[in-house]
Amino acid sequence: MFFRAALLSFALAGLGLAQDSPAAPMPEGSYKYNASMPTALDPSAEELEWLKSINWSGMIWPLESFATVYVDDPNTTVPVPASDADATLVKRTTYRGVYICTDVNWGGQCGYAQQPTNECISLQAPWWSAISSWGPDPGQKCYGYNSNYCKYWAPDGCDVPSECIRYGGNPSIGPVRAPGLSTVPQWQDGDFNWNDHMNSWICYVE
Ligand SMILES: *[C@@H]1O[C@H](CO)[C@@H](O)[C@H](O)[C@H]1NC(C)=O
Ligand SMILES: *[C@@H]1O[C@H](CO)[C@@H](O)[C@H](O)[C@H]1NC(C)=O
Ligand SMILES: *[C@@H]1O[C@H](CO)[C@@H](O)[C@H](O)[C@H]1NC(C)=O
């Protein structure tokens, strides 16, 4: 109890400081939803209804601000960073949103990002091995992997059978569709529970 009170006053002091200083710059490409100023990045009406139901903050962060996007090159199992000028964007088609949180029931630290579909999204801190709620927007199916790099570029993760690691019988969890996974039982797949064990994913338009 004592510690909780101490932490609370510390947090409030922090808020006071924040009000006195200029607002921290948001990462390039981030954006705050404002219904009176429509943009192409806005969630659809259906997506918005769902995002509001899980108390979305209204922020959209560029995926690159918390993850690395890799290009899916079918000729190799070695992923190529999308920032590589020589990378061949073989399958990039469109973008869809995904909502992620570090706690179950859409709790803890949450983020919503527009992400390229058909490409591997490889997570970094604070999301690495920390995802407990995973909500792809409608219109896509997603597969999550324990490794980074979406090994090995196939929904069943077994482009290279000899290197295939199976968790609970499956090298990936999926297909996962909106509204996604947000409870520990939902993360159970065979004898493996993927809660806090997903480090990359790939989503396909459908
Ligand atoms: C939304 O945009 C309108 C019009 O530019 C502006 O007046 C309003 O302050 C904005 N709201 C927020 C929450 O930023
Ligand atoms: C959203 O916030 C409301 C009001 O605080 C709360 O009752 C509700 O449980 C929250 N929903 C989720 C999914 O956290
Ligand atoms: C993959 O390899 C084939 C055969 O060598 C080649 O024709 C094709 O252009 C390659 N694709 C990419 C994306 O490099």
Side-chain angles (χ1 to χ4, degrees):
M1 200 59 146
F2 169 79
F3 285 112
R4 194 170 289 182
L7 280 173
L8 181 63
S9 45
F10 182 77
L12 289 174
L15 279 178
L17 276 178
Q19 280 167 355
D20 291 339
S21 44
M26 296 194 297
E28 190 182 342
S30 56
Y31 133 109
K32 183 158 179 61
Y33 174 72
N34 184 335
S36 62
M37 293 171 57
T39 80
L41 282 177
D42 290 351
S44 68
E46 183 189 18
E47 291 159 2
L48 194 57
E49 193 177 321
W50 172 68
L51 286 167
K52 281 181 174 170
S53 78
I54 55 174
N55 297 334
W56 177 43
S57 69
M59 286 302 302
I60 290 181
W61 306 99
L63 195 70
E64 287 78 3
S65 71
F66 59 77
T68 304
V69 179
Y70 291 91
V71 176
D72 184 358
D73 181 344
N75 283 358
T76 176
T77 57
V78 180
V80 184
S83 56
D84 184 339
D86 295 329
T88 312
L89 303 186
V90 285
K91 287 184 183 172
R92 178 169 290 187
T93 54
T94 186
Y95 281 71
R96 290 280 194 284
V98 63
Y99 192 81
I100 49 178
C101 297
T102 55
D103 287 347
V104 296
N105 299 318
W106 314 106
Q109 184 170 359
C110 294
Y112 179 68
Q114 301 278 326
Q115 60 169 24
T117 51
N118 302 337
E119 288 189 19
C120 180
I121 308 303
S122 199
L123 298 177
Q124 298 173 351
W127 313 102
W128 178 263
S129 283
I131 304 287
S132 295
S133 296
W134 185 34
D137 278 347
Q140 59 187 335
K141 61 179 177 182
C142 300
Y143 296 83
Y145 299 84
N146 178 253
S147 70
N148 53 1
Y149 304 157
C150 304
K151 287 175 181 163
Y152 289 89
W153 301 115
D156 66 2
C158 283
D159 275 357
V160 184
S162 63
E163 296 179 26
C164 186
I165 303 166
R166 295 184 176 278
Y167 300 92
N170 293 309
S172 67
I173 182 167
V176 172
R177 298 178 168 87
L181 310 176
S182 58
T183 68
V184 172
Q186 285 172 350
W187 285 103
Q188 192 69 33
D189 183 24
D191 62 3
F192 189 73
N193 194 287
W194 289 81
N195 179 35
D196 289 340
H197 285 104
M198 184 175 68
N199 292 308
S200 61
W201 67 69
I202 186 165
C203 296
Y204 301 89
V205 174
E206 61 175 5

